[in-house]
Each structure stands twice: as C-alpha cells, then as structure tokens.
Amino acid sequence: MNQEIWSCYLESLRNQIKPGFRVYLEGMTCRNMDAAHWEIALPDRSSLAFVESQLGSTMKSVLQSTLKRFEIAGNADITFTLSGSETFMRNGVLPLRTNVVKLNDVSSYEERRASFSTLPASTSAFHYNDDYSEDNDTIDPFETAGELREMSHLNNRYTFDNFIVGGSNECAICAAKAVATKPADAYNPLFIYGGVGLGKTHLIHAIGNELLDTLSLRVRYMTSEEFTNECIQCMSVGPQKMNEFRVKMRDELDVLLLDDIQFIANKERTQEEFFNTFNYLMSNHKQIVLTSDRPPQELRDIDDRMRSRFCINGWFDIQLPDFETRLAIIHSKASVEGIFLPRDVEQYIATKVATNVRELEGCIKRIKNAAAAHGESISLSLAQRLIDPFYQKPQVLLNVEAIISCVCTYFGISRDELMSACRKKEISYPRKVAMYLARTHTSLSLPAIGSAFERDHTTVMSAVRGIKKDLENDSELQLNVKMIEKKLFDR
Ligand code: ADP
Ligand code: MG
C-alpha cells in the first residue's frame, strides 16, 4: 500500500514541477510514512537544500491531495533528511536527526539558514559523542552565517548582479549560474578560463556568494597559490598537520573554489595532494570550480589524469568584451565610483582601452581622482589627457574574417578552398597559418576559432602547435607570417 501511495505521489509531483527539477525525484526516497508525518530523504546536501527551499511547498500540497485520493484523513507534514553516505558525515557518527530540516521551519531565508544550523559544527566533528537521543544538546551549533562567510574567504563585492553580461562571457555566466543554483550537478568541476582581467575571479566569487547566501553551504575560496603554500607548510610541519589540512579541504567544506589553477603546474607534491582532494570532493558530490588563464588541455606540467578530469563536461571561456559590453561595463563601474561620465567620454574609453576590464576600471579611477584633485568637471579633453599617454597606439583588434581574407589574398587561394577539407599542402599550409594568426592576434578561444574555421578545436590546437614549432627554424614561414602580419596591421 505504502509503495502504491509513494508511486502515486511521485507521479503527481512529476506533473506539478518544472521538467528541469524532475531529476530530484529520482534521488528521493521515502524513509517513513504515516498519516501525520512523512520523512523524505535526499542523497546529498545540495539536493536537500534545493528541494526544501524550492519544492517544499509544492511537495506538501501534493502530499495533501495524494492522501485525499487514498482517503487518508489528516494533515501530514514532511521532514527532509539526508540519505546515503552524507548522513554519516565527517566522523561517521552524525546523529541522523540533526540533519532533519523541518518543512514548517524553513519558510524564510533566516529560518532556512537556521535549519542548516542544526547540522553539527564540522570543526567539532571529532569531539562528538555518540549520543543519538533526541535531547542531545551537546552538539555545537553549526557555523553561523557570519562564521560561514569568514571561513569562505569570499569577497562579497563580487556578485552576479554587478557582473555585466555580453557575448564574450554569456556561456560562462550561464554555467556559473547553473552551478550556483544547483551545485554538484550539471557542471562538476566547472572550469572557467580566459585572459587576465576579464572577470574570472569575479565570477568564481559570485558563485560562492550565491551558494553561501541562498543555500548556506560551506564554501571555500582560495587561489592555487594559497593551496600550494598551505599544503607545503603543513607537509613541512608533519603528518598531523597534513591531516588537519586534509580534513579542512575535504570534510569541512561543500564547495571548493580554486582560482588560477595554472599555478599548480610544476609543483608535483601539491598536485598530488590536490588530485586526491579533487577526487575525494567529486566522489562526495561536492562542487568544485576552477579558473585558469588557459583551457585545460593547454595546462602544461599538469598531471594527465587531472587534465582529463577537468575536461569532463564544463569548461567555458571568457573573452575580451566587445565594444558594446565595454560601454556597459564603463557605465556601471562609473556609477559604482559615484561619478557621471558624459557619453563621449564613455565611448572614448571603450574605443581606446580594449585590453581588459581591469584596465577599464583603472581609467575610470584615474579620471575620477584627477577631476577631484583639480576641481575639474569630467570632459572628453580631460579623459584624453589622462588616457592617451598610456594608450598611444590605437589597438588593432583583428577578427578571424580579416585574417582569413588576408591569408587567402597573400597565398592566392579562395576562401572556399581555405575552408574546404582539402589536404593538399598549398591549401592546408595557408589554413594552418591563418589558424595560428587567429590564435595569436585575437582573444578568441580555441573552440571559437575552431568554429570560425568550421573545425574542431583540437584541429586548431595542433595547427597552432605545428606552426609555432616550424617557426623556430623555417625562415620562409617566418617571412610569410611577418608579411601577412604587416598587411593585417597596416590596413
Ligand atoms: P581575472 O580574474 O580574470 O584576472 P577579475 O575577475 O579580477 O579578472 O576582474 C578584474 C576586474 O574587472 C574586477 O574588478 C572585476 O569586478 C571587473 N570585471 C571583469 N569583468 C567584468 C564584467 N563582465 N562586469 C563587471 N565587472 C567586471
Ligand atoms: Mg583572477
């Protein structure tokens, strides 16, 4: 009978919730069912947090209608608990009841956060006593919101709200938001890469802030340099210290945000430690987010096993923002600085400074400070005076099409030939040169260049590698590349 009610309940629920949320139903089990009370278990903390906060009220009303259908009287309530290994968290003796989140108690954010506070303090996990009794009040309360924030090392200035979205970063943002809504699901690990000053650090903090504020998860942000330093320091002190480090990095967090992973290359022991941490977190369904200045397959001196795990599903790049996006960023940053920039000044900066967002911010600050220091109003001439000396040469931003057309003209072949599958040297050689130039003179990622050439990014990668290598000794190739570059830049 109970099985029948449960199946019927799931079926009704399936019709009531968005298709994207149905995945939760598969991991959900009913532990206890009576007329007054159902206990529903979720396989991990992030599902638990999501289900109770997003689906809780629907689940409760579907429960009432299901009970009515089976002519069961009463007003049954639901409690949510964890099932599976996470129930026995950290030291394996977590009393089950402490994971229970009461549906009635979780209507507001404060209460939801408080419901997490019934979880034991991870730091005190090793001092637990085994008492499962209901009135066990020896368990320390879980970290308060303030403590969670402190241990997260997050910068709360970096949020999704103040991150400007444009064509250059929209895929990365979508993925970041997916992770921030439902961690350890679609993209794990999430790998974000891109050039300097383009917003990787901002985005990784935004994910952390969202997870901390909405799901009260234990988030930890660190740069890979910090990871390395801490790891080396603990190693040098001894095994006990190293154990503490492991507990901290593995058991005392739900989400690890590691910025600038490229710095971990070359450091063998740290890499080994990170690889083990990474595997541990992944197998415990904890979210990992990594950033890097290059795509995973271009990370040199990184263990192959690790590189291939980074490439599993979610790697996204952030590119240089286009003119419109730069304008929007300038506008928003100026208002954060509390200044108003006339339209011509905004346009001037967006045209002149096409390197990265950090430099845009620098220019705005420079203008603000100079205007304040001289009591001058902000004008185009003031902006020019301050910015021109730093950006003497107008920056030539090439696009792939310009490169393709220049290469075709230079080698005397048609665009169709260059784009074709022809493997003859007189066609494949210019094609490889064009790919190399696109990689060198645009900020596009390998996949983006690949799609411009209607090819896979691995083809671009091997073409670029090949040309780079040949350039070392092949003087004819050196001359060709130089001549094409001259034509491209002198246009
Ligand atoms: P990265 O880590 O890629 O080197 P950061 O995240 O440190 O870059 O970004 C540099 C600065 O530019 C930060 O102050 C960040 O807030 C800002 N920034 C970058 N991209 C954006 C964007 N799309 N919208 C708003 N601010 C941005
Ligand atoms: Mg950064």
Side-chain angles (χ1 to χ4, degrees):
M1 177 68 171
N2 281 358
Q3 184 57 47
E4 203 184 324
I5 298 175
W6 178 241
S7 308
C8 174
Y9 176 67
L10 287 181
E11 195 51 45
S12 313
L13 209 50
R14 172 172 286 277
N15 298 327
Q16 294 284 321
I17 61 177
K18 290 186 194 151
F21 295 163
R22 287 182 192 149
V23 61
Y24 291 103
L25 304 185
E26 286 153 27
M28 205 151 80
T29 51
C30 189
R31 284 198 156 162
N32 189 20
M33 182 188 284
D34 59 48
H37 170 232
W38 283 27
E39 187 182 338
I40 290 180
L42 280 307
D44 55 73
R45 274 174 57 133
S46 58
S47 302
L48 171 66
F50 185 86
V51 166
E52 59 94 355
S53 64
Q54 306 294 319
L55 307 178
S57 54
T58 311
M59 288 176 68
K60 202 175 174 196
S61 74
V62 172
L63 171 60
Q64 307 311 336
S65 55
T66 308
L67 292 179
K68 238 185 232 152
R69 259 168 78 182
F70 284 86
E71 295 175 349
I72 299 171
N75 196 14
D77 198 1
I78 301 179
T79 54
F80 293 105
T81 77
L82 279 177
S83 59
S85 59
E86 279 219 11
T87 317
F88 298 91
M89 288 164 69
R90 304 173 195 122
N91 60 349
V93 295
L94 172 66
L96 199 58
R97 69 156 195 90
T98 58
N99 268 341
V100 174
V101 179
K102 262 230 162 225
L103 188 70
N104 286 343
D105 298 338
V106 295
S107 46
S108 72
Y109 164 67
E110 284 301 319
E111 286 162 338
R112 211 162 67 231
R113 200 179 59 197
S115 68
F116 263 94
S117 75
T118 58
L119 286 162
S122 40
T123 43
S124 65
F126 291 100
H127 311 299
Y128 261 8
N129 73 38
D130 251 11
D131 188 354
Y132 282 67
S133 83
E134 277 295 308
D135 300 323
N136 180 354
D137 55 7
T138 59
I139 297 165
D140 290 347
F142 192 57
E143 294 88 348
T144 64
E147 283 166 336
L148 276 180
R149 179 153 283 287
E150 200 180 320
M151 74 165 227
S152 73
H153 293 217
L154 284 169
N155 181 340
N156 60 7
R157 278 191 312 117
Y158 292 145
T159 63
F160 284 119
D161 287 344
N162 59 15
F163 196 79
I164 307 290
V165 185
S168 55
N169 57 26
E170 63 191 347
C171 292
I173 297 259
C174 274
K177 285 195 168 165
V179 165
T181 316
K182 191 169 178 235
D185 188 49
Y187 305 116
N188 202 15
L190 171 65
F191 191 103
I192 298 170
Y193 69 96
V196 116
L198 295 182
K200 302 181 297 295
T201 298
H202 188 135
L203 210 48
I204 201 172
H205 278 279
I207 296 172
N209 282 317
E210 184 91 2
L211 287 170
L212 189 63
D213 292 341
T214 60
L215 299 180
S216 299
L217 296 185
R218 295 166 306 165
V219 179
R220 177 66 208 261
Y221 166 87
M222 68 201 309
T223 65
S224 69
E225 238 167 344
E226 285 164 344
F227 184 91
T228 306
N229 292 343
E230 217 172 312
C231 179
I232 292 173
Q233 209 234 329
C234 293
M235 264 179 210
S236 69
V237 175
Q240 172 65 27
K241 195 81 191 149
M242 204 53 210
N243 260 347
E244 285 172 24
F245 178 68
R246 288 189 182 126
V247 168
K248 194 165 91 179
M249 297 313 302
R250 299 176 191 187
D251 298 316
E252 293 181 359
L253 48 77
D254 303 308
V255 181
L256 176 64
L257 309 171
L258 201 65
D259 207 359
D260 288 324
I261 186 80
Q262 72 273 9
F263 292 126
I264 219 162
N266 257 333
K267 307 190 178 78
E268 235 171 77
R269 288 199 60 192
T270 311
Q271 262 194 60
E272 186 63 31
E273 187 57 35
F274 176 66
F275 187 58
N276 293 334
T277 303
F278 180 94
N279 287 336
Y280 182 91
L281 294 175
M282 291 289 287
S283 56
N284 284 283
H285 308 290
K286 305 199 176 194
Q287 177 71 49
I288 300 173
V289 184
L290 307 166
T291 73
S292 159
D293 66 349
R294 64 204 79 173
Q297 64 277 31
E298 282 185 25
L299 284 169
R300 263 167 265 125
D301 300 318
I302 278 219
D303 193 307
D304 279 341
R305 294 168 304 169
M306 202 144 77
R307 191 181 306 112
S308 65
R309 298 213 63 182
F310 293 167
C311 293
I312 290 175
N313 52 12
W315 42 295
F316 298 86
D317 67 340
I318 304 187
Q319 294 168 21
L320 186 68
D322 57 23
F323 180 76
E324 266 70 36
T325 314
R326 291 205 293 282
L327 265 185
I329 292 173
I330 293 165
H331 196 75
S332 130
K333 299 282 171 190
S335 78
V336 170
E337 289 295 328
I339 55 170
F340 171 78
L341 297 178
R343 193 73 184 153
D344 57 353
V345 173
E346 287 183 345
Q347 288 184 342
Y348 167 75
I349 304 173
T351 314
K352 205 75 182 173
V353 185
T355 39
N356 67 51
V357 182
R358 197 172 288 138
E359 290 197 21
L360 287 177
E361 287 181 338
C363 288
I364 294 165
K365 285 193 179 126
R366 210 175 303 147
I367 293 174
K368 177 188 169 182
N369 294 341
H374 303 125
E376 204 177 329
S377 64
I378 296 173
S379 64
L380 183 59
S381 67
L382 173 73
Q384 284 170 333
R385 231 173 41 237
L386 293 168
I387 294 174
D388 263 356
F390 295 92
Y391 298 90
Q392 285 293 1
K393 270 182 149 183
Q395 290 162 24
V396 184
L397 272 185
L398 298 176
N399 63 46
V400 183
E401 274 312 313
I403 291 171
I404 291 177
S405 114
C406 199
V407 168
C408 287
T409 315
Y410 183 83
F411 287 104
I413 61 170
S414 71
R415 187 181 187 282
D416 284 350
E417 283 172 317
L418 186 127
M419 300 297 283
S420 72
C422 176
R423 286 164 176 266
K424 278 193 218 148
K425 180 142 193 254
E426 56 268 34
I427 305 294
S428 67
Y429 177 72
R431 186 187 297 131
K432 285 181 193 163
V433 171
M435 288 177 180
Y436 164 80
L437 291 169
R439 184 66 177 149
T440 314
H441 296 299
T442 72
S443 60
L444 295 178
S445 64
L446 287 169
I449 296 172
S451 75
F453 283 87
E454 295 163 18
R455 277 164 169 82
D456 193 44
H457 69 272
T458 53
T459 312
V460 180
M461 197 161 67
S462 75
V464 173
R465 272 206 197 126
I467 296 288
K468 261 190 195 159
K469 190 157 185 304
D470 292 348
L471 271 172
E472 286 165 18
N473 306 309
D474 184 340
S475 55
E476 191 187 327
L477 177 64
Q478 287 166 3
L479 183 69
N480 285 336
V481 167
K482 214 176 260 165
M483 296 296 284
I484 299 167
E485 281 176 338
K486 193 162 167 13
K487 281 179 192 296
L488 279 168
F489 290 110
D490 287 351
R491 279 176 316 140

